[in-house]
Amino acid sequence: MRDLAIIPARSGSKGLPNKNIRFLGGKPLMAYTIEAALQSGRFDEVMVSTDSFEYMKIAKQYGASVPFIRSEETASDHASSWDMVREVLDCYSKVGRHFDTVCLLQPTCPLRTAVNIIEAYQMFEEKSAVAVVSLCEMEHSPLWANTLNEEKSLNGFVSRANEQPRQALDKYYRFNGAIYIVDIEEFMRDDYIYREGSYGYIMEKENSIDIDDEVDFRLAEALLNKKI
């Protein structure tokens, strides 16, 4: 198979400005994802999709390809990651390059490893999958969560059936944002990937940090220091 890794790194982050190039453990945040992708040895191309020439320069320093700049349209707050993927695939197609799979690797997940990528691709191949998406176990069961009214009443907040020890409840999983592997032919036919033929690759919580704000960043720093 011909495999393409896309690392989306737009410059317009509002929650944590310039988080994709903010230094974590002595390196720009995006460097961890570039290095994991390259170390996996899986990809024919590891590219960064960015709207910033500064980000382009940094990405190339760490070994990624940046063959074109991301458009204003797909770098906006209203565009989805999959809009960007379609744009990237179209740009490659125009220069005669075609791939069988695309792997979306968000740079905000710096603790995802090359081994995680390799294992996710092994699952993809073993199951002849449409898609494989990384998950991790939820910190708390959603059965212990609910909305609150204006009075903050807890009446009915948890059903009697779910008022039991945590260990007795079913395990629930959430997307951790680290790995999205998709069969390109299937994706172009139907970009809704959560369907028959799609599977979840489970990662450890400590590798599943997805940095969105300052607290997430500090947690990633602490976990990274623990590994060093």
Side-chain angles (χ1 to χ4, degrees):
M1 290 193 298
R2 294 161 297 176
D3 305 311
L4 170 66
I6 300 178
I7 300 169
R10 70 188 184 102
S11 59
S13 173
K14 293 181 172 59
L16 201 60
N18 280 320
K19 66 181 175 183
N20 289 319
I21 60 170
R22 180 171 173 176
F23 269 62
L24 173 70
K27 290 186 289 191
L29 183 61
M30 73 163 74
Y32 290 90
T33 296
I34 295 170
E35 290 174 347
L38 293 171
Q39 288 165 9
S40 74
R42 180 72 218 199
F43 301 106
D44 297 273
E45 179 95 322
V46 174
M47 72 88 67
V48 169
S49 173
T50 183
D51 59 332
S52 164
F53 286 100
E54 179 185 5
Y55 284 26
M56 172 191 279
K57 181 179 178 181
I58 293 169
K60 287 183 175 181
Q61 286 174 350
Y62 285 90
S65 170
V66 190
F68 33 77
I69 286 289
R70 190 163 163 177
S71 69
E72 289 185 14
E73 182 180 357
T74 62
S76 72
D77 292 334
H78 306 293
S80 72
S81 293
W82 300 115
D83 293 330
M84 175 274 301
V85 168
R86 283 183 179 275
E87 178 181 67
V88 168
L89 294 176
D90 183 57
C91 287
Y92 275 114
S93 179
K94 286 177 179 177
V95 295
R97 297 197 65 187
H98 304 277
F99 301 89
D100 299 300
T101 74
V102 60
C103 182
L104 186 64
L105 299 168
Q106 297 191 136
T108 50
C109 301
L111 304 184
R112 165 237 301 104
T113 67
V115 171
N116 292 140
I117 296 169
I118 292 167
E119 290 179 347
Y121 259 104
Q122 287 173 344
M123 172 180 277
F124 183 86
E125 292 174 341
E126 288 168 2
K127 294 186 175 292
S128 298
V130 168
V132 166
V133 179
S134 59
L135 310 170
C136 67
E137 186 178 344
M138 291 187 69
E139 291 76 4
H140 303 285
S141 172
L143 299 177
W144 284 358
N146 210 329
T147 58
L148 279 175
N149 60 24
E150 292 183 0
E151 295 180 355
K152 308 296 188 294
S153 171
L154 291 179
N155 182 31
F157 188 86
V158 177
S159 73
R160 290 181 186 271
N162 295 329
E163 193 178 8
Q164 53 185 312
R166 175 180 58 82
Q167 294 82 354
L169 297 172
D170 290 335
K171 285 185 179 180
Y172 280 77
Y173 297 88
R174 64 171 177 83
F175 299 123
N176 66 0
I179 302 171
Y180 298 82
I181 303 170
V182 181
D183 178 281
I184 290 175
E185 186 176 345
E186 288 288 340
F187 172 73
M188 298 306 285
R189 184 180 299 122
D190 181 359
D191 61 7
Y192 181 75
I193 65 173
Y194 309 112
R195 52 188 168 99
E196 186 175 358
S198 296
Y199 298 90
Y201 166 67
I202 300 172
M203 288 173 52
E204 296 295 327
K205 287 191 216 175
E206 67 178 20
N207 297 112
S208 297
I209 299 300
D210 186 4
I211 297 176
D212 189 50
D213 56 26
E214 188 68 33
V215 173
D216 296 334
F217 194 90
R218 296 304 177 193
L219 180 55
E221 276 186 323
L223 289 170
L224 185 63
N225 289 336
K226 179 184 173 183
K227 289 177 181 290
I228 292 175

